[in-house]
Amino acid sequence: MTEQRHRPATRTDPYDEAGTAPARPALRVVHQPDDIDLTAAEAAAGQFLNALGISTASESLHGTPGRMARAYAELFSPRPFDLTTFPNDEGYDELVLARRIPVRSVCEHHLLPFVGTAHVGYLPGARILGLSKLARVVEHFACRPQVQERLTKQVADWLQTQLEPKGVGVVIEAEHSCMTLRGVQATGSSTMTSTLLGLLRSDARSRSEFLALTGAAS
């Protein structure tokens, strides 16, 4: 479950002190998963390993079920953050792009990790976004069982809704261990997905610039 709520900003813009415009409250973004029961998860992990013929009786494996439970709980629990935005006073209308944002998630089909990088950009409207928040949004949607296609679209759609920019683009390139470590064992292969919204989809020049800067056009 994703909970979003506005709360008073911890600091105000200079414009607020001058009395010309009120500060927009920061949006507190929290992903609250269903109740986590680490004790039950540890017991289930032990049963899972034993069912596969892996004994946890040895000293080195005795604590493995607990470590498994805590590791997956961490993978599925993104950190809360404040979506801070600022007025676009200068009317900046060119592309803002954060490249090579680390991505780590878990494939919902095999519960095996996939890792890679995300390129997230937007064409500003009335407000601009704190740059670190682009990485926070990626983490927010990646920390749960996922498929890469959905993750790409969730990041783009959410930014379009919350920021109301003129356009949003998201490109993710990742290596899936469900492909490289099992099954076809396609070592070194990667998967690329993209979502383009607004002018980054409809305007050829903006689209080409974004794809060229992310490397997706090469």
Side-chain angles (χ1 to χ4, degrees):
M1 179 190 306
T2 298
E3 176 186 351
Q4 303 167 15
R5 59 179 183 269
H6 287 284
R7 72 176 189 181
T10 56
R11 60 180 182 181
T12 58
D13 297 326
Y15 292 97
D16 303 313
E17 297 171 2
T20 57
R24 175 179 288 192
L27 179 68
R28 184 67 170 172
V29 182
V30 181
H31 173 63
Q32 185 64 51
D34 294 335
D35 292 340
I36 295 176
D37 187 340
L38 286 176
T39 301
E42 179 177 351
Q47 293 172 0
F48 171 74
L49 291 171
N50 290 331
L52 291 177
I54 301 173
S55 173
T56 58
S58 68
E59 181 179 352
S60 59
L61 285 172
H62 180 70
T64 295
R67 287 188 288 268
M68 284 178 59
R70 293 189 296 274
Y72 275 99
E74 180 180 342
L75 287 171
F76 297 152
S77 301
R79 295 167 291 180
F81 70 97
D82 293 328
L83 190 77
T84 48
T85 65
F86 307 92
N88 186 10
D89 295 326
E90 303 301 323
Y92 185 83
D93 60 359
E94 296 294 333
L95 182 65
V96 178
L97 175 64
R99 299 194 300 174
R100 293 186 290 275
I101 297 170
V103 174
R104 62 124 173 94
S105 190
V106 176
C107 165
E108 68 179 28
H109 300 138
H110 300 91
L111 286 190
L112 291 172
F114 65 90
V115 296
T117 56
H119 312 291
V120 183
Y122 70 99
L123 292 169
R127 300 186 71 80
I128 57 176
L129 182 66
L131 289 177
S132 67
K133 307 310 177 186
L134 294 173
R136 292 287 196 182
V137 174
V138 171
E139 177 190 300
H140 177 75
F141 286 103
C143 284
R144 61 195 72 178
Q146 271 288 16
V147 295
Q148 185 175 325
E149 297 88 341
R150 182 197 303 131
L151 171 60
T152 307
K153 193 170 189 306
Q154 283 179 333
V155 172
D157 287 345
W158 197 84
L159 287 171
Q160 183 69 36
T161 298
Q162 299 298 329
L163 197 57
E164 297 181 347
K166 297 176 182 177
V168 173
V170 179
V171 171
I172 296 178
E173 183 173 6
E175 180 174 310
H176 293 248
S177 54
C178 60
M179 281 184 61
T180 60
L181 299 181
R182 57 159 300 281
V184 69
Q185 297 184 22
T187 304
S189 66
S190 63
T191 299
M192 182 174 288
T193 51
S194 65
T195 296
L196 303 177
L197 303 175
L199 287 178
L200 288 182
R201 184 181 184 91
S202 62
D203 180 71
R205 185 192 70 84
S206 298
R207 179 188 179 98
S208 296
E209 179 187 14
F210 174 78
L211 293 176
L213 289 174
T214 62
S218 59

